[in-house]
Amino acid sequence: MRTADGEGDGVLSRETFSYTVQARCTRAEAVALLGDLTRQGELHPLIAGVRRLTPRPGALASYAITDRLAVGPLRFPVTYRADVLIATEDEVVTVARQRPATTVRNHTRLRDEPGGVTRIDVEITLSAPAPLFGYAFRQARAAHLGLASRLGAALDRGPDAPAVS
């Protein structure tokens, strides 16, 4: 559902999407991968680089992430800050912030299923200024669904497996 909120001088649009992944791994292995954004370059199709930063107050870890975005034939890098706010055996919450006023909140819940399978339910909420929202939402949705398509295989291979190509 898309909503619009007044914030400051502009209007922010907000929308949420979700997906579920199942993998043969422990919840601890899933949290180790999902809570360490330096490893997201293995999975996230837009990430060109990740650098660990000194954590912000209230964050468990903070990162500078550079994505490689495209508009038509043009490719350009965008760097933003992402913070891991929660990383427990049943929940991972990250928030990424980019200017102008764009935020991506990732709320992941994990639970055990029969047969050594972990269920990973992910909810992504993006908010951005209305003029940028359509592009930002399409990019975020495509990138996170691309990540989802690789996540199960990466976790099934185990913590010491090589990166996904």
Side-chain angles (χ1 to χ4, degrees), residues 36-123:
D36 179 358
L37 301 186
T38 60
R39 297 180 64 193
Q40 296 299 303
E42 301 172 22
L43 305 171
H44 194 294
L46 296 180
I47 291 179
V50 179
R51 184 171 43 90
R52 189 178 276 275
L53 303 172
T54 301
R56 266 182 205 214
L60 300 174
S62 296
Y63 303 85
I65 299 177
T66 301
D67 281 355
R68 188 170 304 122
L69 299 178
V71 176
L74 301 175
R75 304 245 182 266
F76 57 96
V78 173
T79 301
Y80 55 93
R81 184 170 182 130
D83 300 308
V84 178
L85 303 178
I86 298 170
T88 65
E89 74 173 20
D90 57 0
E91 182 179 40
V92 177
V93 175
T94 63
V95 176
R97 294 174 183 86
Q98 178 187 340
R99 292 182 189 251
T102 301
T103 302
V104 177
R105 184 175 192 276
N106 180 322
H107 188 179
T108 301
R109 291 178 181 90
L110 302 105
R111 71 173 190 242
D112 295 328
E113 292 202 331
V117 171
T118 295
R119 179 184 172 110
I120 303 163
D121 293 308
V122 180
E123 181 179 272

Side-chain angles (χ1 to χ4, degrees), residues 121-161:
D121 293 308
V122 180
E123 181 179 272
I124 306 286
T125 302
L126 180 126
S127 62
L132 301 174
F133 182 82
Y135 174 78
F137 187 80
R138 284 189 304 277
Q139 291 290 310
R141 184 176 172 92
H144 284 272
L145 293 177
L147 180 150
S149 72
R150 298 173 177 145
L151 180 59
L155 288 167
D156 285 344
R157 286 193 321 273
D160 298 322

Side-chain angles (χ1 to χ4, degrees), residues 17-42:
F17 63 93
S18 59
Y19 60 86
T20 296
V21 173
Q22 292 179 305
R24 289 199 183 286
C25 67
T26 66
R27 282 188 286 164
E29 289 168 332
V31 170
L33 177 59
L34 296 169
D36 179 358
L37 301 186
T38 60
R39 297 180 64 193
Q40 296 299 303
E42 301 172 22

